[in-house]
Amino acid sequence: MQFSIVKSIEDGLPLKAYAAEPDAGLAVRVPINNKPGSESSNFRLIPPGAPQTMAPFSAAGPSPPARFIDPSVPSPPITSVPPSGAPYQRFPAPPFPSAPQTPPNRAPPVGQPPFQPPTSQVSVPPPSFRPQTQVPPMAMGSPPQNANFPPSRMNVPQPPSDSLLSGPRPNFQPPFPGYPSKQPVVSQAPSSFPTHQGSFMPPPAPPSAFPSQQGSYGPPPPVASNLGYQSRDQMQHPVSAPPIGGVQSLTEDFSSLSVASMPGSMEPGLDYKALPRPLDGDVMPSSFLEMYPMNCDPRYLRLTTSAIPNSQSLVSRWHLPLGAVVCPLAEAPEGEEVPVINFASTGIIRCRRCRTYVNPYVTFTDAGRKWRCNICSLLNDVPGEYFANLDATGRRIDLDQRPELIKGSVEFVAPTEYMVRPPMPPLYFFLIDVSISAVRSGMIEVVAQTIRSCLDELPGFPRTQIGFITFDSTIHFYNMKSSLTQPQMMVVSDLDDIFVPLPDDLLVNLSESRNVVETFLDSLPSMFQDNVNVESAFGPALKAAFMVMSQLGGKLLIFQNSLPSLGVGRLKLRGDDLRSYGTDKEHILRLPEDPFYKQMAADLTKYQIGVNIYAFSDKYTDIASLGTLAKYTGGQVYYYPSFQSVIHGEKLRHELARDLTRETAWEAVMRIRCGKGIRFTSYHGNFMLRSTDLLALPAVDCDKAYAMQLSLEETLLTTQTVYFQVALLYTASCGERRIRVHTAAAPVVTDLGEMYRLADTGAIVSLFCRLAIEKTLTSKLEDARNSLQLRIVKALREYRNLHAVQHRLGARMIYPESLKFLCLYGLALSKSVPLKGGYADAQLDERCAAGFTMMALPVKKLLKLLYPSLIRIDEYLLKPSAQADGFKNIMKRLPLVAESLDSRGLYVYDDGFRFVIWFGRMLSPDIAKNLLGPDFAAELSRVTLTEHDNEMSRRLMKILKNLRESDPSYYQIPYLTRQAKLMIYSSS
Amino acid sequence: MNVEDDEDRELEKLVNFSEWYKRFNDVRVVVKQYFSDSGGGGGKMAWDLIFWVLCFFINIALLASSFYQLLSLSDLEADHLNPFEAATRINSIVLPEFLLQGFFCLSFLLTWHWFMFISTLPITVYHVMLYLNRKHLLDVTEIFRDLNTEKKYRFVKLAVYLLLFTVVLFRLLSASIFFFFAWKFEELDIRTSLFY
């Protein structure tokens, strides 16, 4: 059954705004924008001189925050609560108030009236609280009507609330002194506060209820509380944002039915393991492949739902994105490589009309003399050389020798008609900032060493070309002619009128000039070690590089350590200007400041130059502007804030090496064709559109994915099946022009339920992610999150409407099996760096860099980033002889909830971009000593993890190595953190 | 005899003159009437004509630029033009168009053609707004995403220019009618007969 997960809406989705639009119920929002940090505000003690707003609750005594009301109420009180009070109480229940409302300045937490949390949770005008009770039609809001609910409601929030809410009370205060450091990160837009707060007052809950509740919760279990906090704190990770927050309460509500047997019990007896959590990572939809075994593997093409709606009206009821995520060059496991086919003299077989490539779904007729295109159903002639007889069932007899007719993914060798010029050689050009900050950070040295060590592995030997430009306030060109013994440096200081001092020899063939290049790279760090120039003529240098490369195209790697300050394209420190934050103009900061960057990006794409940006600065460098270059040239942005070669060197080394050595497709264009009646209308990712449906990708590799949305052109589709064909025309590093073709078929359905059944959460989340990030470029972060939530809620409501009647679900919310993680990922997404919180929750640069990265991430990596894995390793480390089997066992992902963390344990948290190694407070000191050496007692944030000469340390390193190898596209540096009294997971 | 002759001659001359002058006087009245009516000087009518001719050409230029931009966008959509070229083409004429349109609008203000001024004002304001927000040029990188809005915007502009064109054409015709007909056939002119 699709709705295996049944949940009571009432308890669950904390339904912030629901009352605002009672009729629609649209406003039900998963409190996705909750911020971990803001929780803490929930637990604030009531200040001694409580503000007047506190009055109604004063009966409750000074210390208990209003929030405890709900969870802590023992069952009798709550059932007795008048209906009007119930909704109010319910609101506080979800432990994770929405983020944006937390005041930025957390430092004096005690002074805050305790009421903020509940209010903040509800980011709707407060009056909505009461209306909620008046929302019977949607049942979501009207709790007390259903007798079954109170118990479950009681029950559900408990585990979290027990530990999370009441627990922290005792030890809440001490941690705060340490807290301020985190504050800026966590703080939120302040403005909404006062208003909410004030308006929150009107709906006064019956005060009488409070004392009792409070009493019941007086002595909370301290350990649990701590755990609760820590797990939450996890969410402060800029990237990870695990779903523990609202979604946890949400997912826990799923199981409300099963737990209902022990209503009112105070034990946190909920088995959190039973709740749906994506612990297997990304599960690719298999039904798709089973239905159409000749489809390409989902790693290349994933549809948000494998059932294509047949009518406009059906599309309008499908509130999730309808589209596809394409990763044309995804790495295939051993033995599943895409077959390369050379038609040679025949020429590539394509449909005359729609230019579709021959694929497994074409049908041969007329005794094999004709074939019918599956996309436009035109009858084409089969060329003489390609002719084969048909057998009795109408299949070609040579089918097993024709991979293009049995496999969904093939690669054709393209003849000369597919070239506008001879295939270009792989070309790497480096633009390196050598100003003082670059020298000081040690970046130049790491870069030079890494490039040198990769020279052998650069793809395309012996045609590979290479070139360098360095710049500070002047631009330095290097003549690397093979006849020279060492490179000649030429300095151009006229920034207004850039010229290239030499026509050739700035870009040389690597195999011919190998010695010169090596000499150059060896001497590069020392050449500038005394440079004291602080300026950066980035724009002119970029133009110079463009001039050098424009003949051939290729890949331009830019290493930038400071804000461009000279010549064209210089940028202002606009990110440091606090005035524009929090206003309607805030989004402008996330867009390139100077049109130069967009223009330059367009020119670079035109000349087949792909840009990768490596940014290192500890100060504001306007990644929004710099990243634009990567965005429109199909590149990516690597951001190492406050780069120190000691700490981040390894990461840079690995990622740069990966960038240089991974298989790259050059001067590529990609197009996705689909059957009649549907059309791809919008494309999302890092690329530039060359025409309405042609993606220009100067350099593309396996780590890039592109998303697209489709729409129906006709009101009614009459076909049974729709076919999609992705074609990527590119130049391989070996100099061959190739076309990679992925074909997939999907059924056309008339039923919305079927669409839900075949939905693919990963692809949906990926599209949502891109849409939301794009939205942050034109509107506020909050709007982006809200629209995301709204769509999820709409979709689930639609699904509920679909089944509510026949299953008499009453007030419950149901989820299709295929989308059981959607809410969780939605929450995680709105806590991800590009979207989370208010302006102060992440550095602008960090936000932009993460945005550029996430716009290109393949589905699997994105999901891992959104729901990182947590692994307990201390037992494995202690085991006397841990062999391979033991290793397999420990690689078990734990749910990201407080209960997963044991203070006696050692955990590794891995989001694909970094590790957090978490030392429990009660972890045996032996382990710490063995792993950290003499530093084990020191402040962990200052300790770097190195291998020590003992078995345990070696094992840990092996674990980390294995984790890294499972996905080599990024390198995770370990951040160490110790369980604090309160939390603080890591302070990276 | 001589004297009389002389006097007669003089008298005759006087009569002739007054006869001749009478005609002249009529014209003066007509001219005076005409000018006092439309509140200008003798050159005004000519200036009026020149002004409307100028407006006519400006308007044609604006129409042409709008049309050209639309054409380029349609070409782009139909893949007959790549985005780089389309953007360069369009962006190169955006500013001249803005300036021309600004001049067009301003000239109406300076010549106290209130109706025309008000009807051109919205576009001018919109142009200024675009320019101040730096949104007047097409963004090559996002050109396809903006294609529909850009087309719509130019369609609207084209329609407005067409409307203006009809008005300008009408004013031009009336100005030229006055200019030519008032002098050559003053007798036929309604106004001349009216003021006799």
Side-chain angles (χ1 to χ4, degrees), chain A residues 39 96 160 163-165 168 222-234 244 248 897-899 901 979 982-983:
Chain A
E39 273 103 61
F96 295 78
S163 54
L164 301 183
L165 298 188
V223 177
S225 72
N226 260 325
L227 288 175
Y229 257 98
Q230 277 130 13
S231 75
R232 264 208 220 146
D233 183 38
Q234 232 167 357
I244 312 171
Q248 185 189 353
V897 292
E899 287 82 352
L901 291 174
Q979 177 181 19
L982 174 62
M983 44 181 160

Side-chain angles (χ1 to χ4, degrees), chain A residues 598 602 632 683 690-691 774, chain B residues 79 83-84 139 142 144-145:
Chain A
K598 277 199 163 183
Y632 292 109
Y683 298 83
R690 178 67 63 82
S691 77
E774 276 173 10
Chain B
D79 210 2
F84 313 104
D139 177 1
E142 296 286 356
F144 286 101
R145 197 164 291 189

Side-chain angles (χ1 to χ4, degrees), chain A residues 884-905:
Chain A
D885 59 318
F887 188 74
K888 277 270 180 297
N889 285 339
I890 65 134
M891 290 308 224
K892 196 181 71 188
R893 290 178 66 171
L894 298 169
L896 297 174
V897 292
E899 287 82 352
S900 301
L901 291 174
D902 182 349
S903 59
R904 283 160 301 184

Side-chain angles (χ1 to χ4, degrees), chain B residues 124-143:
Chain B
T124 318
V125 171
Y126 190 66
H127 282 170
V128 170
M129 207 183 75
L130 282 183
Y131 185 76
L132 290 182
N133 290 334
R134 302 266 145 211
K135 295 224 171 99
H136 56 292
L137 294 182
L138 275 185
D139 177 1
V140 198
T141 50
E142 296 286 356
I143 195 165

